[in-house]
Amino acid sequence: MAYVRSIEHADIVHRCFRCGYCKFPSDYVDFNCPSHKAFGWDTFSSGGRMWLIRAWLSGEIETSPRFAQILFSCVACGNCEAQCVYPRFKDFLLNIFEETKSELVDEGKIPPTVRDYFKAITVNGNPYKLPQDKRGEWSEGMGIEEFSGQEYLFYVGCVGSYDEVGREMARSVGKLLKDLGVSFGILGAEETCDGNEVKVLGEKGLFTALAEENIIKFKAKGVKKIVTLDPHALNVFRREYPKLGGAFQVRHYTEVVADAIGGGRTSFGPLKTRVTYHDPCYLGRRNLIFEPPREVLRAVPGLDLVEMRRWAVDSFCCGGGGGNFFTDVIGTGEQSPARVRVREALETGAEVLAVACPQCAKMLVDGVKAEGIEDRLEVMDIAQLLSRAGLA
Amino acid sequence: MKDILRSLVDILGERGVSNAAEELWFYARDPGVLEAHFPDYVVAPETTEQVRQVVRLANEEKIPIVPMGNGMALTGLVIPLKGGIVMDMKRMNRILEVNEKARYAVVEGGTSQGALKAYLQDHHPQLRHSLPDAPPTTTIAANVSLHGQGRLTQQYGFNSDMVTGLEVVLPTGEVCKIGSPSLGPYWFSKGPTLPDLSGLFLGWLGTTGIFTKVGLKLYPNKKIRDVEIFVTDRVDLVPDIIYKLTHLEMLEDINAWFQPRPLMFKDNYHITMYFTGDTEEEVEFKRKMIWDSLEEFIVTKDGGFMGVGYMKPMLLEMPQRGIAAFADVPRGGGFEYSGPITLIEHYPDYALKVMELAEKYEVIYSSAARVVSGGHSMMFSISFAFNRADAAMMERVKKALDEATEFALEKGGIPWKPNYKEQRMTLEKLDPNTLKLLQMVKRNLDPNGIMNPGNWEVS
């Protein structure tokens, strides 16, 4: 029996002209669509996807592994949404991609790595297939309290809880927040996946279950404010949880740190180094938080902050968005986004590539290794950099 | 029989070849109204050598091959009318050289207009190229291969006139340099004082070879750009107004446009004038000269300057994003235009024809004419927007465009980037000996007829 295909925004898919503005940053310096850059075919750009979705909806092409690869390699970085020239259409580009992925999920025709990701979340509650009671291990010996009504819940997320690079970052941020006197607690082993990637990958049911569980838990514990380690968590808490009744005040740790040190309330020791900052898509382009991370970096005496050619709204994704951090549908190779991005960072003459997202951190660390430039460029989270500078 | 896919993979690697249903579907069409034709393979070379090897293979096996930039000509020039191989050139996107003092750039055959603009801004801010108002993904090679225009066309002619040298892979697989680069390392002249062989390729829409490198003239990038718009409700005066303006020899670009929406533009003809300078004094002097030149039309109350105001940032933007936005007027993601090159004195006839066609076929129109080479001719665009989900509307647009081309040919105009049907109409009208000459060129360069077949099919 033929599968009946429909998506919520099917009636506007044909409005894409495939003019290609969506492939570029605002000044056209290079292709800024990561999957297009990685694969090199127009089909892997936003316009290509949109036209293929139209063909797929009308039955001109069938669901196939290639079609799934084209959709799931999208990193949901939002460059297309920022650059599309069609108002009242551009706002729905990412929805259309997500809705189509959701249909493939329903059809059961998704890449194996996406399937494995969903299974791991369902069975283990995290993509690493590690025990739940190890979630809080990153904080051991730090004297960080469980959440019990402090001003903020510090939400760490799956990568900060289980990944080696992420845990190091969680520890740095946790220590920094403590040093700055921020009132916060963590959920530790009680924390569960935020569901951002689950949603972007199209598993609506699983996402709703995760989000509702979190919302109930947060409310039961009296959480009003959340500070996140991961911009992906910030995104889903800010933009999706309110639709399910979970309205919390959500901030990224760089915002909280910027506030805490603002007006010279805290000063850091000197650190003579040249740093370039990589805007995480879910912090920058998707939630318009560009300045706080830079404000924090500029507060370090001697730190020379230089921008990459593509930054802020024009920033180039590390390739980890849209679930690709876990599923790697976008793949590796010379034109993989992380490798392209670290080469761009190197061009600035920076010694440190600063990040504010555990997923970006891991992706770019791997990019540096793949490029063989470990001796020339160090990837560091902002909190780690501040720790190196030290409180004055 | 040779395994073509295997041979292509041997040349380009797995990443450079696809015959997946998704790529074949996508590369079978462009954003215009013409019907799709499926290729058998899509390839994306990264070097001239790869292009050469693919073309040699195609020639040996008599497989059609269609070079493609971004496919934004809108007239189906990259649709593989007879199947075969579509060659997406966009991975060959390096800017190879900018000679600052001689004011030229050398770029690979898939370099986008946007990338060159950004590169010049970063590294040679005193230089610019003639940027079209097409989206920035369009490529420089594709633009010159169809005699495209740009922001400097009023001053310096078609963008193809600005070519300073070519590297072309011939249909038989030889790599051929055209102009000064055939004699040495410099790319300053496409022809003179040699016989200008660039004419064997420019305007041929990829039917005589594939451009792998293009040398392009660059021009001074003045510090200040400004814009004025003169408005009249008398279409018959537009040629006179343009004549006055071109006499000044001061304007970067002149566009005469009219459109029914928004209503504030309806029934008026707008002449947009761009001018530049390195100082405020220079700009103000030019502004005064422009105003003085058109004073007589103001005195007779036949026209006046309109306040540019809020439109200024949009007008000065390069390329103008608003042009692509025309596609969304019927909320349908498409427009296509016929753009004959013609005499400016015929402007009123063309303008009336646009409105007649729009009414007859019930389609939404917009028209912008760009002055070419100081007024020797103009490109008169007859644009119709359509809703891609409305097949009947697309059919009406197709008919309106066909009729527009018939009209242009009757008026002695030359269709610009004509689709295959318009090419046939043109060839039928062509002087027999000119046609014979075209046949001689095509047969000699492409004996097996593999290059973009169905286009400029003179045999």
Side-chain angles (χ1 to χ4, degrees):
Chain A
M1 192 180 82
Y3 199 90
V4 179
R5 293 162 181 156
S6 67
I7 59 172
E8 187 184 341
H9 290 93
D11 59 330
I12 61 168
V13 172
H14 67 278
R15 283 174 60 187
C16 172
F17 187 37
R18 82 177 231 203
C19 58
Y21 274 101
C22 57
K23 289 180 200 164
F24 276 126
S26 56
D27 66 358
Y28 320 125
V29 68
D30 197 355
F31 291 123
N32 216 33
C33 171
S35 48
H36 179 265
K37 185 80 180 170
F39 289 92
W41 301 110
D42 282 346
T43 41
F44 284 80
S45 69
S46 292
R49 274 188 198 98
M50 200 61 74
W51 277 53
L52 288 175
I53 289 169
R54 190 162 59 88
W56 174 79
L57 284 168
S58 65
E60 288 180 64
I61 62 166
E62 293 301 318
T63 307
S64 69
R66 181 69 161 185
F67 184 59
Q69 183 188 36
I70 288 168
L71 283 164
F72 286 91
S73 62
C74 170
V75 293
C77 68
N79 182 73
C80 53
E81 192 176 279
Q83 299 302 329
C84 175
V85 298
Y86 301 113
R88 299 179 297 279
F89 171 64
K90 62 191 287 183
D91 301 337
F92 302 105
L93 301 181
L94 296 173
N95 300 63
I96 290 167
F97 301 148
E98 196 173 303
E99 289 160 15
T100 309
K101 282 184 273 189
S102 192
E103 280 291 298
L104 297 198
V105 169
D106 289 349
E107 283 187 33
K109 293 179 178 171
I110 55 178
T113 54
V114 178
R115 175 203 61 205
D116 294 346
Y117 174 77
F118 291 146
K119 276 174 80 172
I121 297 283
T122 308
V123 175
N124 306 95
N126 66 78
Y128 297 90
K129 301 179 186 172
L130 289 171
Q132 177 68 21
D133 60 13
K134 293 202 178 293
R135 259 202 185 258
E137 270 187 0
W138 65 271
S139 64
E140 280 177 5
M142 293 183 68
I144 294 177
E145 297 170 348
E146 295 280 315
F147 183 82
S148 58
Q150 294 94 328
E151 184 181 3
Y152 287 102
L153 164 66
F154 178 33
Y155 182 87
V156 177
C158 296
V159 183
S161 299
Y162 293 110
D163 182 88
E164 191 185 334
V165 173
R167 282 160 68 120
E168 202 179 317
M169 186 171 158
R171 289 176 67 83
S172 297
V173 174
K175 181 175 181 307
L176 178 64
L177 293 176
K178 267 189 80 176
D179 290 348
L180 292 172
V182 176
S183 164
F184 72 97
I186 59 171
L187 293 178
E190 281 192 81
E191 189 182 279
T192 41
C193 178
D194 55 72
N196 188 66
E197 274 52 56
V198 172
K199 180 175 184 301
V200 175
L201 288 166
E203 212 343 326
K204 290 179 291 191
L206 180 56
F207 166 70
T208 305
L210 290 168
E212 285 177 346
E213 183 186 340
N214 277 326
I215 292 166
I216 290 167
K217 192 184 302 173
F218 294 168
K219 284 183 175 174
K221 288 185 175 292
V223 173
K224 298 277 189 284
K225 293 182 178 180
I226 303 172
V227 55
T228 71
L229 176 75
D230 193 330
H232 297 237
L234 170 125
N235 180 69
V236 77
F237 290 160
R238 270 195 186 177
R239 297 160 71 108
E240 303 301 333
Y241 278 36
K243 296 174 193 166
L244 297 167
F248 307 98
Q249 260 185 276
V250 186
R251 309 185 77 197
H252 186 246
Y253 83 85
T254 54
E255 293 180 288
V256 174
V257 172
D259 276 0
I261 66 172
R265 283 196 292 278
T266 306
S267 52
F268 297 94
L271 187 65
K272 200 166 169 47
T273 185
R274 177 173 279 198
V275 175
T276 190
Y277 169 67
H278 167 78
D279 288 276
C281 300
Y282 278 109
L283 194 65
R285 200 158 31 224
R286 303 293 301 273
N287 284 287
L288 304 178
I289 300 169
F290 299 113
E291 192 50 29
R294 291 178 169 81
E295 199 180 318
V296 172
L297 290 168
R298 282 194 292 260
V300 178
L303 188 150
D304 179 18
L305 179 62
V306 290
E307 297 292 357
M308 282 181 269
R309 184 61 181 76
R310 290 175 287 183
W311 62 288
V313 77
D314 289 328
S315 188
F316 185 65
C317 177
C318 69
N324 275 279
F325 179 86
F326 303 105
T327 62
D328 199 23
V329 179
I330 200 164
T332 53
E334 205 182 324
Q335 297 302 323
S336 71
R339 291 183 64 176
V340 170
R341 192 57 169 163
V342 298
R343 292 199 293 266
E344 196 171 348
L346 203 60
E347 282 172 15
T348 66
E351 300 153 299
V352 175
L353 173 53
V355 294
C357 166
Q359 302 195 37
C360 295
K362 174 77 170 172
M363 294 296 293
L364 296 171
V365 163
D366 289 348
V368 164
K369 284 180 192 159
E371 287 288 304
I373 52 173
E374 297 98 317
D375 55 336
R376 297 163 68 192
L377 189 69
E378 187 178 7
V379 178
M380 290 183 82
D381 168 58
I382 287 177
Q384 290 169 310
L385 257 173
L386 295 183
S387 171
R388 186 176 286 182
L391 287 172
Chain B
M1 189 180 159
K2 207 164 191 167
D3 181 342
I4 302 300
L5 181 65
R6 187 70 256 158
S7 301
L8 290 171
V9 170
D10 287 345
I11 296 168
L12 298 145
E14 297 279 353
R15 189 174 177 270
V17 186
S18 176
N19 66 345
E22 289 73 16
E23 273 78 46
L24 297 185
W25 186 91
F26 184 88
Y27 286 92
R29 63 206 72 230
D30 78 353
V33 290
L34 287 187
E35 59 279 11
H37 288 270
F38 280 75
D40 300 297
Y41 312 95
V42 186
V43 302
E46 295 182 7
T47 65
T48 297
E49 178 56 21
Q50 287 178 339
V51 175
R52 190 186 70 79
Q53 288 188 40
V54 172
V55 172
R56 282 188 71 148
L57 173 72
N59 193 43
E60 280 166 17
E61 300 296 326
K62 297 184 176 51
I63 301 168
I65 183 162
V66 180
M68 173 190 172
N70 197 51
M72 286 304 290
L74 307 179
T75 48
L77 302 178
V78 297
I79 293 175
L81 298 171
K82 299 189 176 177
I85 300 167
V86 170
M87 182 176 278
D88 182 337
M89 296 296 290
K90 287 192 287 297
R91 294 187 200 177
M92 291 182 66
N93 60 0
R94 289 180 304 157
I95 293 157
L96 301 168
E97 181 193 351
V98 171
N99 188 318
E100 174 101 28
K101 292 286 160 52
R103 293 197 182 103
Y104 68 75
V106 184
V107 302
E108 285 189 322
T111 305
S112 70
Q113 301 283 355
L116 180 59
K117 177 178 189 268
Y119 184 86
L120 293 174
Q121 274 176 350
D122 284 357
H123 304 286
H124 304 277
Q126 62 280 47
L127 295 175
R128 62 186 293 204
H129 77 292
S130 181
L131 191 76
D133 276 319
T137 41
T138 54
T139 65
I140 289 158
N143 179 260
V144 299
S145 81
L146 51 76
H147 290 310
Q149 302 121 48
R151 283 285 171 171
L152 300 175
T153 287
Q154 197 286 127
Q155 285 176 285
Y156 303 110
F158 291 98
N159 285 2
S160 47
D161 296 330
M162 302 170 194
V163 168
T164 61
L166 293 169
E167 180 184 86
V168 188
V169 175
L170 302 181
T172 40
E174 298 90 347
V175 179
C176 193
K177 287 199 168 73
I178 305 297
S180 59
S182 65
L183 282 170
Y186 305 113
W187 287 66
F188 58 87
S189 173
K190 69 180 166 71
T193 58
L194 303 169
D196 190 350
L197 295 173
S198 69
L200 298 174
F201 307 100
L202 298 172
W204 281 84
L205 312 176
T207 59
T208 53
I210 297 176
F211 297 168
T212 45
K213 291 190 182 82
V214 177
L216 195 69
K217 287 180 186 171
L218 305 175
Y219 298 91
N221 187 22
K222 297 289 192 174
K223 290 175 184 159
I224 306 167
R225 290 178 78 235
D226 212 332
V227 60
E228 293 280 357
I229 299 179
F230 193 79
V231 185
T232 178
D233 58 2
R234 285 187 54 187
V235 67
D236 58 308
L237 291 181
V238 173
D240 295 336
I241 293 167
I242 292 174
Y243 191 74
K244 295 277 183 188
L245 291 170
T246 49
H247 180 81
L248 296 174
E249 292 188 300
M250 278 185 180
L251 296 174
E252 173 199 82
D253 195 10
I254 305 172
N255 299 299
W257 54 276
F258 60 99
Q259 59 189 56
R261 295 183 193 180
L263 282 177
M264 64 179 180
F265 296 134
K266 194 171 183 300
D267 298 329
N268 280 334
Y269 300 87
H270 310 76
I271 295 102
T272 307
M273 297 148 274
Y274 294 90
F275 49 106
T276 61
D278 279 329
T279 63
E280 290 292 349
E281 290 79 6
E282 187 183 350
V283 170
E284 288 313 310
F285 173 72
K286 287 182 178 175
R287 194 191 314 277
K288 182 178 181 310
M289 293 294 286
I290 292 165
W291 277 68
D292 288 352
S293 72
L294 301 182
E295 192 181 359
E296 66 185 84
F297 303 104
I298 298 170
V299 170
T300 57
K301 296 189 169 30
D302 285 318
F305 286 88
M306 70 180 264
V308 175
Y310 75 96
M311 293 167 62
K312 202 165 184 174
M314 185 267 287
L315 290 166
L316 291 175
E317 187 183 35
M318 290 191 294
Q320 279 186 17
R321 289 172 176 242
I323 288 176
F326 177 57
D328 207 37
V329 173
R331 298 286 176 267
F335 77 88
E336 187 169 326
Y337 65 102
S338 174
I341 311 301
T342 186
L343 297 178
I344 295 169
E345 65 198 64
H346 289 168
Y347 186 95
D349 302 332
Y350 277 87
L352 293 175
K353 189 69 183 176
V354 171
M355 288 181 275
E356 178 198 315
L357 290 172
E359 191 175 343
K360 178 177 175 183
Y361 291 103
E362 297 176 72
V363 288
I364 299 165
Y365 71 87
S366 170
S367 173
R370 167 168 272 147
V371 174
V372 179
S373 295
H376 296 298
S377 63
M378 66 175 171
M379 184 282 293
F380 188 99
S381 92
I382 305 167
S383 307
F384 299 118
F386 57 83
N387 185 328
R388 206 173 291 285
D390 184 340
M393 185 190 282
M394 289 178 76
E395 194 54 35
R396 293 202 304 277
V397 165
K398 208 185 287 184
K399 284 180 179 162
L401 288 169
D402 286 348
E403 201 172 322
T405 300
E406 278 170 24
F407 174 79
L409 284 167
E410 280 167 20
K411 294 287 295 178
I414 307 172
W416 176 45
K417 58 186 176 68
N419 66 36
Y420 70 93
K421 288 187 293 182
E422 293 167 330
Q423 291 166 33
R424 280 181 206 154
M425 289 156 71
T426 306
L427 292 172
E428 280 167 17
K429 198 169 182 294
L430 209 61
D431 174 87
N433 283 335
T434 311
L435 181 63
K436 201 171 160 189
L437 182 58
L438 287 176
Q439 285 169 338
M440 287 162 63
V441 171
K442 175 68 178 168
R443 281 181 193 151
N444 277 285
L445 280 174
D446 185 13
N448 290 318
I450 61 161
M451 291 301 307
N452 206 359
N455 286 289
W456 284 146
E457 206 143 74
V458 288
S459 300

